[in-house]
Amino acid sequence: MKRGFTLLELLVATVIFSLVLTATYALFDSARTLSDRAEARAAVLQEARTVLDTLKGDLQGVSEGDFVGSCSGTDDAPDARLEFTTVNHPTFRSTLPESDRTKTSYFISDMRLVRRKQTRMTAVNTSMQESEGLETIGPNVLYVKFRYYHESLWMESWDSRDFLELPTAVEVTLYMRVGEEEREKFTEKIYLPIAAETPPDERT
Amino acid sequence: MKRGFTLLEVLVALVIVVATGAVVAQGFFAGAQASSNAELETTAARLAEFKMAEIEIGEVALGQSTTGTFEDHKGFQYEVTSEKDSTGLYTVQITVWYAEERSFTLHRLMRERPKRP
């Protein structure tokens, strides 16, 4: 006599099967979430690297001129701005008499890090435009904070017009947005050899 | 006539299922482990660079050997040694320890910073 499955047996088998399937799916889903997170973190780390490298290049090319860093806001949401003169404008292909120095600024605008390079520094009477050389270099940078090192002390702000000097080093902290919820801080200390090793009167 | 599976058949089937499951789970956990190790190692490398920068800017003096922990990163410890060789260069070695016995080491040759007149 041939016998099929009873309804009960079928139901039990279906329940067990779907339980196994759900468990397997949960495993793969958590693996995918993990990998998505890792990918987002890698992208943000890369962005932080790029920003810090650009800033390092600009700071190490710092030249004679005002160096002004201000900071307001709270520890969790600082509002900082750094402005200095630096050699970061390649002029070798230019047909115009241009300077290789620019007035470079870093600040937060609309929850992203902006860098501004103003080239027209040569003539005194040309006014610099607010929007000239503006670029977003850190789309995922929420806040930025700078500290300035001078004779074993870290200071929250710096004004070369008061100190008549440049700081030995600058500490940058980037508050980065990772995915929707996570926040991560990246800190780097950047050494300014020109300020640390050259006496003020030889710095031109 | 009604016939079920024999005990042997059931056992063999069970062993096959368990073995397959174990292999899949092992692959998964190895992946998770590798990912968390990679994250820790990236952090350790970053912290070592951070410590190196402190020596570069003169916050930590050359020729000084120190150990300590990082404020923002629990579970990471550092060890700094720096030695002057016959040419006057310092060999700075920074080791960051994490996850019990794992470590990341950075070496760099540094000169003493010229004194400001």
Side-chain angles (χ1 to χ4, degrees), chain A residues 113-172:
Chain A
L113 182 66
V114 173
R115 173 191 189 223
R116 188 170 63 196
K117 251 173 73 178
Q118 291 166 305
T119 51
R120 266 172 279 169
M121 303 197 59
T122 34
V124 185
N125 53 1
T126 43
S127 59
M128 284 192 252
Q129 286 163 345
E130 273 299 302
S131 60
E132 190 204 319
L134 208 60
E135 58 171 339
T136 300
I137 59 163
N140 289 302
V141 180
L142 286 169
Y143 308 108
V144 69
K145 191 178 176 193
F146 300 102
R147 291 202 302 157
Y148 309 92
Y149 191 64
H150 182 70
E151 288 173 3
S152 334
L153 279 178
W154 283 103
M155 295 179 216
E156 301 285 314
S157 61
W158 189 275
D159 194 332
S160 63
R161 291 166 298 192
D162 297 339
F163 289 102
L164 302 174
E165 278 222 72
L166 293 170
T168 312
V170 176
E171 183 197 74
V172 201

Side-chain angles (χ1 to χ4, degrees), chain A residues 93-131:
Chain A
R93 283 199 192 137
S94 176
T95 50
L96 295 162
E98 275 189 310
S99 167
D100 56 358
R101 298 196 302 160
T102 69
K103 186 173 162 194
T104 300
S105 329
Y106 284 83
F107 54 94
I108 296 287
S109 167
D110 280 336
M111 294 299 218
R112 45 189 62 190
L113 182 66
V114 173
R115 173 191 189 223
R116 188 170 63 196
K117 251 173 73 178
Q118 291 166 305
T119 51
R120 266 172 279 169
M121 303 197 59
T122 34
V124 185
N125 53 1
T126 43
S127 59
M128 284 192 252
Q129 286 163 345
E130 273 299 302
S131 60

Side-chain angles (χ1 to χ4, degrees), chain A residues 154 165 186 189 191 195-196, chain B residues 46 54 59 111 113 116:
Chain A
W154 283 103
E165 278 222 72
F186 293 95
K189 290 176 175 172
Y191 177 50
Chain B
R46 242 174 56 209
E54 285 186 347
E59 212 180 340
R111 79 203 152 97
R113 202 147 41 112
R116 286 257 302 260

Side-chain angles (χ1 to χ4, degrees), chain B residues 31-96:
Chain B
Q33 186 72 46
S35 138
S36 94
N37 280 348
E39 189 172 337
L40 288 175
E41 190 167 344
T42 312
T43 307
R46 242 174 56 209
L47 292 175
E49 284 286 359
F50 186 75
K51 211 72 218 165
M52 195 62 95
E54 285 186 347
I55 296 172
E56 197 181 3
I57 68 176
E59 212 180 340
V60 176
L62 269 174
Q64 202 175 298
S65 296
T66 49
T67 54
T69 54
F70 295 94
E71 234 175 78
D72 293 352
H73 294 84
K74 296 228 159 60
F76 289 87
Q77 289 172 305
Y78 66 84
E79 187 182 345
V80 179
T81 58
S82 71
E83 272 170 42
K84 198 176 190 172
D85 67 12
S86 55
T87 61
L89 278 175
Y90 286 89
T91 307
V92 180
Q93 181 182 313
I94 295 178
T95 306
V96 174

